[in-house]
Structure formats: structure tokens, C-alpha cells
């Protein structure tokens, strides 16, 4: 006689009766949990937004709101507007491809002279054709990430300042000139940084910095106007 094995859930309940007996979370807890999740998204330095194929804004975290605003984009009648006509056309074409064609696309948005790339990916949703917008970083890492990294690696104050300049792409000569010291002093500090961080070269150090989690400084943008979504 064939015996049907118990489901994974039933097997777990049999092995852990105390846990299985716990009451399920009440439905009213979903709203606070959702608000907490949105607050967590606002703590990220990476811009994250959700739009539909017509550029209607569904959601934007604090970083994405700041990026759209810095690029001169805003919301009018529920739709995102901004940039040049060519830029708008590129976004519209890409969103049609993503939302209706199920493909992924890369688009560009200019913040002054700085180009910012955004990855568009289809987002399944009942009754709507949506896309997630994930913005690229404006810098290799932010000041708050550098501070945490410097503290983790026990860098001195002077070494932390040199690390910040290295992350900004400054050369030893440029750092020495800005700090009013000899290049040999900066070279010594740079060597100490590489030794404490376990990086054999500046290139390896920059690669490690680029892998740090993207965090926004505490309170940044707290008083700024947020983009409203539908």
C-alpha cells in the first residue's frame, strides 16, 4: 500500500510542536510592518522607485525622490515629467519594452553634467504593468560608509581623511597639496591604510570600498519634499 509522505509543514509541526502551536500573526500587524519596510527603504542610499508604462509614479524611496528632484523631474497629474524630450522619449520606449514586453532595460538620467543610470525590470502586479527603477550610485561610496569602514579598520583621523580623498579619485600628489604636507607623508598614510584594510593596492582598496552597503546619512532629506505616488 502506498503511503503519502507528510508535507514539509506537517513534518515541521510534528518535530516542533511548541512553535507550531503559536498563534498566527494578526492581520492588523501588516500595516505597521509595511510602514517599517518603507522606512527601511528610505535608509538606503540606492534610489528605488516603481512606475508604470505611462511613467505614473507608484513609489519612490527618499534616495530616488532626491535623484528625480536633482535631475529636474517632478510629478504632475500623477505622471513623472522632466529632462529633455529625448530623455523622456528614451524612458517611454524603455518602459513599454519592460512593462509590456517583459524585458530589462538600462536608461540614463542627467543630474546637471552627471549621468545617472537606472535599471528597469518588470514587476508582476495584478491589473497593472509595472517596472522597478533601481538607480546606480553617484559615487563609489558615501561619507557615512567611509566613516563606518574607517572605524571598522581602526584608521586614524588623518588616515580616514586620506581614505576619503582616495575614494574620490585623488592622487597622492593632489592629496598632499590639499592637506599641505609632503607627498611622502601621504604615501606613508596610504600604505598604512592598505595594511590595516588588507588591500595590496589602491585598486584593491577601491574595489573593496565599492562593495560596501549603500547607506544614507541619518536624517538626510528628512525635511525634503517627497514625491507623491499613486
Amino acid at each position: 500500500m502506498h503511503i503519502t509522505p507528510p508535507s514539509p509543514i506537517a513534518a515541521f509541526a510534528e518535530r516542533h510542536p511548541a512553535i507550531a502551536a503559536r498563534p498566527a500573526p494578526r492581520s492588523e500587524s501588516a500595516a505597521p510592518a509595511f510602514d517599517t519596510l518603507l522606512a527601511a527603504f528610505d535608509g538606503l542610499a540606492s534610489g528605488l522607485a516603481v512606475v508604470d508604462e505611462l511613467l505614473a509614479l507608484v513609489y519612490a524611496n527618499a534616495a530616488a525622490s532626491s535623484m528625480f528632484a536633482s535631475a529636474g523631474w517632478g510629478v504632475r497629474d500623477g505622471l513623472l515629467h522632466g529632462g529633455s524630450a529625448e530623455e523622456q522619449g528614451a524612458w517611454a520606449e524603455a518602459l513599454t519594452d519592460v512593462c509590456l514586453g517583459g524585458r530589462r532595460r538600462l536608461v540614463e538620467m542627467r543630474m546637471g553634467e552627471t549621468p545617472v543610470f537606472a535599471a528597469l525590470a518588470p514587476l508582476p502586479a495584478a491589473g497593472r504593468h509595472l517596472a522597478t527603477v533601481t538607480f546606480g550610485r553617484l559615487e563609489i561610496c558615501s561619507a557615512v560608509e567611509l566613516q563606518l569602514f574607517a572605524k571598522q579598520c581602526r584608521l586614524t583621523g588623518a588616515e580616514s581623511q586620506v581614505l576619503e580623498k582616495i575614494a574620490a579619485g585623488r592622487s597622492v600628489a593632489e592629496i598632499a597639496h590639499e592637506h599641505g604636507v609632503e607627498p611622502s607623508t601621504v604615501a606613508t598614510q596610504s600604505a598604512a591604510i592598505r595594511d590595516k584594510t588588507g588591500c595590496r593596492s589602491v585598486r584593491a582598496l577601491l574595489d573593496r570600498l565599492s562593495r560596501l552597503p549603500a547607506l544614507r546619512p541619518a536624517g538626510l532629506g528628512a525635511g525634503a519634499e517627497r514625491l507623491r505616488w499613486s
Side-chain angles (χ1 to χ4, degrees):
M1 181 177 65
H2 176 71
I3 300 177
T4 302
S7 68
I9 296 177
F12 178 86
E14 183 177 350
R15 292 195 304 270
H16 307 282
I19 297 177
R22 292 177 184 173
R26 297 191 303 173
S27 59
E28 55 263 31
S29 65
F34 183 71
D35 292 339
T36 301
L37 181 61
L38 294 184
F41 287 160
D42 280 340
L44 300 177
S46 300
L48 177 66
V50 177
V51 298
D52 70 7
E53 76 276 16
L54 300 177
L55 266 178
L57 181 67
V58 178
Y59 167 77
N61 69 351
S65 294
S66 178
M67 287 181 168
F68 277 125
S70 297
W73 288 58
V75 178
R76 186 170 67 248
D77 297 328
L79 301 179
L80 277 166
H81 292 274
S84 64
E86 181 181 0
E87 193 173 322
Q88 282 270 344
W91 274 73
E93 178 185 352
L95 282 171
T96 298
D97 207 19
V98 173
C99 294
L100 303 182
R103 301 178 182 86
R104 296 187 179 192
R105 292 285 299 272
L106 194 67
V107 291
E108 183 177 321
M109 185 175 70
R110 301 199 68 83
M111 297 174 58
E113 297 299 320
T114 304
V116 180
F117 290 99
L120 307 181
L123 178 63
R128 297 191 72 175
H129 300 289
L130 303 178
T132 56
V133 183
T134 307
F135 286 99
R137 302 190 65 165
L138 298 175
E139 53 194 354
I140 190 171
C141 59
S142 70
V144 65
E145 295 152 26
L146 283 173
Q147 292 170 6
L148 293 173
F149 181 74
K151 183 177 181 180
Q152 176 74 17
C153 297
R154 301 182 182 277
L155 302 186
T156 66
E159 290 166 352
S160 298
Q161 293 178 1
V162 171
L163 176 67
E164 182 180 351
K165 301 296 183 181
I166 291 175
R170 302 286 201 280
S171 67
V172 168
E174 291 171 331
I175 298 172
H177 177 73
E178 292 179 12
H179 288 190
V181 298
E182 293 296 324
S184 58
T185 300
V186 177
T188 300
Q189 293 169 328
S190 178
I193 293 171
R194 295 196 304 275
D195 180 62
K196 291 181 179 180
T197 59
C199 298
R200 294 185 177 181
S201 64
V202 171
R203 181 175 181 178
L205 176 62
L206 292 175
D207 179 70
R208 189 170 182 186
L209 292 176
S210 69
R211 299 173 188 273
L212 293 176
L215 300 173
R216 287 172 62 83
L220 181 64
E225 182 179 356
R226 291 289 303 278
L227 292 179
R228 299 182 180 274
W229 56 83
S230 58

